[in-house]
Amino acid sequence: MRFDEYILHDDTENPLIRTFHSSVTAGTRPYRAHHHTECELSLFISGSGIYTVKQKQYEFNSGDIFLFGSNEEHCITVITEQINLLNIHFEPRVLWESAQNIELLKLFSARNSNFSNKFNDERLRAFILSLENELKNKGVCYQTMSKYTLLFALIHIMRSYPYTNQSIQPASQSAADGLSAALKYIDLHLCDKLTLKSIAETACMTPTYFSYVFKKLNGISPWEYITIKRVEAAVELLKTTDLTKLEIAERCGFSSSSNFYKAFVKITGKKPNEYSKN
């Protein structure tokens, strides 16, 4: 169950940073890989169990914190005590849209063999709780303070833990500027017929170079990003309308119902009828 959700939007009303709580009762759960375009920083307010991240398992308890990159598979597979999980989802562009912040992407793209998704860190917990309070209370300059609080949390991880290869250079800011224009183009034409060539042109790049830059900065390929966004749009329509699954597939840019079904299961780990009102 999801509750207490707060969102910071950009100037085109797309979510940049989102906080919400998840509550799940005790029990064993099948591994259900799910994918999203956002990175994730999460704090267990209460509860215990096992987090499975690809082939690795982490035991967790109240106070533990986890960090995941965009499209990094993770699933809570065992809950020994009911959990209350505070989630922070943030788009990678919060980091790469500014040259001063782009180095923080190394937490996701330049990990070394020491890397652990799990942290137990009092100062990091304070940053996470402060970020939620900023979005909840909406005080003066809360939009700016929310971004800075997230940046402070990630800088703290970068400085406190030897988890990144500092010799790897981040992408150039000029590439990031072009990518920002391309993302706006994708958002405007998400349900239309998109081609890699047309998207790359908005970034003033060749398709090959655009694909390279896109994955380097976002952690996923352009088509993975588009597919996830289309599935997210489909989930919302399944929850809120009486449209048939075929109608939803067409509205969300899928070329056939079979492609829609395969993408839906891959991204959410569920079948469309598990969300549908029909």
Side-chain angles (χ1 to χ4, degrees):
M1 178 179 69
R2 178 183 290 200
F3 59 98
D4 289 346
E5 182 174 53
Y6 307 103
I7 303 175
L8 176 66
H9 295 89
D10 64 13
D11 55 4
T12 58
E13 293 304 309
N14 287 310
L16 273 180
I17 304 173
R18 179 195 312 266
T19 67
F20 60 94
H21 288 253
S22 301
S23 178
V24 186
T25 56
T28 301
R29 311 167 78 209
Y31 185 83
R32 179 178 66 83
H34 67 287
H35 305 258
H36 42 72
T37 61
E38 306 96 338
C39 300
E40 180 177 332
L41 183 62
S42 301
L43 165 64
F44 282 94
I45 304 297
S46 61
S48 60
I50 295 175
Y51 226 139
T52 300
V53 185
K54 295 184 179 179
Q55 304 302 315
K56 191 170 184 177
Q57 290 189 327
Y58 298 94
E59 291 186 1
F60 67 82
N61 292 282
S62 175
D64 285 336
I65 298 163
F66 285 81
L67 177 70
F68 302 109
S70 58
N71 213 25
E72 184 174 2
E73 292 186 8
H74 54 282
C75 180
I76 298 172
T77 49
V78 177
I79 301 173
T80 53
E81 181 183 351
Q82 180 169 337
I83 63 172
N84 177 355
L85 179 63
L86 169 55
N87 305 272
I88 299 173
H89 284 188
F90 58 97
E91 292 288 348
R93 63 191 175 98
V94 175
L95 308 182
W96 56 251
E97 281 187 328
S98 171
Q100 290 82 6
N101 306 329
I102 200 168
E103 187 175 4
L104 289 169
L105 285 173
K106 290 181 180 180
L107 286 170
F108 309 102
S109 62
R111 295 172 176 175
N112 60 32
S113 59
N114 297 320
F115 183 80
S116 171
N117 294 93
K118 176 183 171 181
F119 304 85
N120 193 302
D121 185 304
E122 184 175 350
R123 191 174 181 192
L124 189 54
R125 285 194 288 272
F127 282 130
I128 292 171
L129 293 172
S130 178
L131 175 53
E132 181 188 34
N133 284 333
E134 287 294 334
L135 293 182
K136 177 181 179 180
N137 297 323
K138 293 181 170 59
V140 175
C141 298
Y142 80 94
Q143 299 98 328
T144 302
M145 193 60 189
S146 297
K147 292 180 182 179
Y148 277 126
T149 304
L150 174 61
L151 295 175
F152 291 152
L154 298 177
I155 291 169
H156 175 70
I157 295 174
M158 182 85 85
R159 288 182 170 182
S160 302
Y161 299 91
Y163 288 166
T164 59
N165 185 342
Q166 291 299 316
S167 66
I168 296 177
Q169 296 301 309
S172 69
Q173 188 57 39
S174 60
D177 291 341
L179 193 56
S180 183
L183 283 178
K184 290 180 180 179
Y185 178 83
I186 290 172
D187 288 339
L188 286 172
H189 301 278
L190 183 64
C191 297
D192 300 333
K193 185 177 180 180
L194 289 168
T195 66
L196 185 59
K197 183 176 182 294
S198 66
I199 300 170
E201 284 175 350
T202 66
C204 299
M205 300 178 193
T206 66
T208 300
Y209 183 61
F210 173 76
S211 295
Y212 166 78
V213 170
F214 193 102
K215 187 160 188 176
K216 187 174 181 65
L217 293 181
N218 291 303
I220 55 178
S221 73
W223 291 118
E224 287 172 326
Y225 178 91
I226 292 166
T227 301
I228 291 171
K229 288 297 187 181
R230 284 174 170 173
V231 168
E232 289 175 350
V235 168
E236 188 63 23
L237 290 175
L238 286 166
K239 289 180 176 179
T240 59
T241 73
D242 293 314
L243 294 170
T244 67
K245 297 174 187 62
L246 179 58
E247 289 172 328
I248 289 173
E250 291 174 346
R251 285 199 181 193
C252 294
F254 290 96
S255 59
S256 68
S257 57
S258 62
N259 286 341
F260 169 62
Y261 183 87
K262 290 176 184 177
F264 197 97
V265 173
K266 180 179 180 180
I267 300 304
T268 68
K270 297 182 180 181
K271 299 175 181 177
N273 59 15
E274 294 182 60
Y275 289 96
S276 180
K277 293 171 61 177
N278 297 324

